[in-house]
Amino acid sequence: ENKKHTKQRKTPYLIQNRIGIAYIFRMSRPELQSAPDVFYNEDEAVKYSVNSRMCEIQAKMTERALELLAIPEGEPGLILDIGCGSGLSGETISENGHEWVGID
């Protein structure tokens, strides 16, 4: 039996920006295609940890999370970071005078 393999075409969606219209193709989430450890391993963690854009985003999100916790100024807290991944948030938490424990 000879089966013909065809690549499934992804349906684009449009976004309007200052330059014009851009066609964006939705990418399927890798974790829905196979086990997470196939896609999220030590090599990927290193790539994420050294990506300056990811570091910037993570730092901003951590700053906002600390604001929402409303820990009184000058009072160090002990923060449990569940799902810490490579621990990028820990740096921001420490810079703000808090101790942290991370588990992924």
Side-chain angles (χ1 to χ4, degrees):
E1 181 178 333
N2 188 4
K3 290 186 177 181
K4 192 175 191 179
H5 294 284
T6 57
K7 194 172 188 178
Q8 192 174 21
R9 298 191 83 175
K10 293 183 168 76
T11 305
Y13 62 96
L14 304 174
I15 59 169
Q16 177 75 40
N17 59 24
R18 291 184 297 187
I19 299 170
I21 296 175
Y23 290 90
I24 306 296
F25 289 87
R26 288 192 178 122
M27 297 184 67
S28 62
R29 295 185 60 125
E31 64 270 21
L32 299 177
Q33 305 300 315
S34 188
D37 58 338
V38 171
F39 299 99
Y40 305 111
N41 54 33
E42 191 172 329
D43 292 336
E44 293 304 314
V46 169
K47 289 180 196 175
Y48 184 88
S49 297
V50 298
N51 182 308
S52 60
R53 180 71 179 136
M54 288 297 138
C55 292
E56 180 185 339
I57 290 168
Q58 193 68 42
K60 287 180 180 180
M61 288 182 0
T62 305
E63 289 284 350
R64 180 64 180 136
L66 290 171
E67 286 175 22
L68 293 171
L69 288 172
I71 300 170
E73 187 113 6
E75 291 186 30
L78 176 59
I79 298 171
L80 175 60
D81 185 354
I82 299 173
C84 68
S86 57
L88 286 176
S89 296
E91 184 177 339
T92 303
I93 293 169
S94 295
E95 288 172 356
N96 281 273
H98 306 293
E99 297 290 323
W100 67 282
V101 175
I103 186 164
D104 194 49

